[in-house]
Amino acid sequence: MIKRIIEFSAHNRLLVVLLVAAAVAYSFYTMKNIRLDAIPDLSDTQVIVFTKWDRSPDIVEDQVTYPIISALLGALRVKAIRGSSDFGFSYVYVIFEDGTDLYWARSRVNEYLSKITGQLPAGVTPELGPDATGVGWVYQYALVDKSGKQSLADLRSYQDWVLRYALQSVPGVAEVAGLGGFQKQYQVTVDPVKLQAFGVGVVEIMDAINAATTRSAAASSSGTARNSWCAAGLRQVDR
């Protein structure tokens, strides 16, 4: 076989030279235009369903994780479904067959989730994870204040409310995850003795706080003058 190839090449030198030149030209074209990843993503097509609910893991498993898994079992081209429940969190990993388009898979999962939203406990809203895998985590940065004028809470607030949105506007960035620092929060410490003295329960305290931190708006329009007015009332808890 090798002898015949050598004999053919010796008798058809011009044809061999042309084939080699074409192969070299195609290789240069491929190097210029092919898309290469520093770390090729060989993972399966996966959609993550994240749900937050401040309950114990067994309650989250029974009332959130299990209903979501049961609803997604009949989804098209689903290869496997895995779920995990933690304190206050539920994660459902939906793995699709090879070759499935990621955005098609996300739309199918979102469609099935819309059917079971009414079956979940009140206030529980499942969310889809970012359209990227852990392999896409390619850049890390740290906010450091060398002057010492900004606290860790200030740096975290700048990360969550300013820098994160600027980075998410960059093409190709799917998610910007913040770690560390101190997230600003307001805590209400109740006195059980005073609650009993005033006849107020913890649930009433929670409802009052939720009602005080919501925004309400009302609007009216005039059809003759084609003008509209919007009146918004803001309520917040005083420090």
Side-chain angles (χ1 to χ4, degrees):
M1 183 65 182
I2 298 178
K3 181 179 179 180
R4 292 181 179 179
I5 294 176
I6 297 175
E7 183 179 356
F8 176 82
S9 301
H11 289 84
N12 301 275
R13 287 174 291 181
L14 181 60
L15 179 60
V16 172
V17 172
L18 292 177
L19 291 176
V20 172
V24 173
Y26 181 73
S27 63
F28 275 104
Y29 172 80
T30 304
M31 292 175 60
K32 293 287 186 179
N33 296 276
I34 193 172
R35 297 183 60 184
L36 298 177
D37 292 333
I39 305 177
D41 190 359
L42 304 178
S43 59
D44 298 324
T45 301
Q46 177 180 266
V47 178
I48 302 176
V49 181
F50 166 75
T51 309
K52 183 178 180 180
W53 193 34
D54 297 330
R55 297 294 186 275
S56 60
D58 55 339
I59 298 179
V60 173
E61 175 71 24
D62 294 337
Q63 301 190 27
V64 178
T65 306
Y66 179 76
I68 293 177
I69 293 178
S70 301
L72 294 174
L73 287 176
L76 186 63
R77 305 191 68 179
V78 171
K79 182 170 63 175
I81 301 178
R82 304 186 182 99
S84 63
S85 302
D86 202 349
F87 185 84
F89 299 97
S90 169
Y91 293 93
V92 177
Y93 303 89
V94 187
I95 303 174
F96 288 81
E97 299 176 357
D98 294 338
T100 304
D101 182 71
L102 176 61
Y103 295 100
W104 182 90
R106 291 173 64 88
S107 64
R108 295 284 77 77
V109 173
N110 199 20
E111 178 183 348
Y112 278 84
L113 289 178
S114 63
K115 298 179 182 179
I116 65 168
T117 303
Q119 303 176 12
L120 299 177
V124 176
T125 304
E127 301 178 0
L128 296 185
D131 53 346
T133 62
V135 182
W137 194 338
V138 295
Y139 183 75
Q140 296 182 2
Y141 62 91
L143 297 181
V144 180
D145 179 24
K146 296 183 180 180
S147 64
K149 297 180 180 180
Q150 305 294 330
S151 64
L152 293 178
D154 295 333
L155 294 177
R156 182 57 188 267
S157 298
Y158 180 79
Q159 155 67 24
D160 291 341
W161 300 104
V162 179
L163 186 58
R164 178 169 68 105
Y165 297 111
L167 293 177
Q168 282 184 340
S169 63
V170 177
V173 177
E175 183 188 20
V176 179
L179 300 174
F182 298 131
Q183 288 182 295
K184 184 179 293 186
Q185 58 180 251
Y186 298 95
Q187 298 181 353
V188 178
T189 304
V190 297
D191 188 346
V193 178
K194 292 184 178 180
L195 291 180
Q196 185 177 8
F198 288 98
V200 180
V202 178
V203 177
E204 296 176 288
I205 297 293
M206 295 174 59
D207 293 339
I209 295 175
N210 291 330
T213 55
T214 57
R215 296 188 175 188
S216 60
S220 61
S221 60
S222 174
T224 55
R226 295 183 180 179
N227 296 326
S228 61
W229 298 270
C230 179
L234 302 181
R235 295 174 294 178
Q236 61 183 11
V237 178
D238 295 332
R239 296 182 180 180

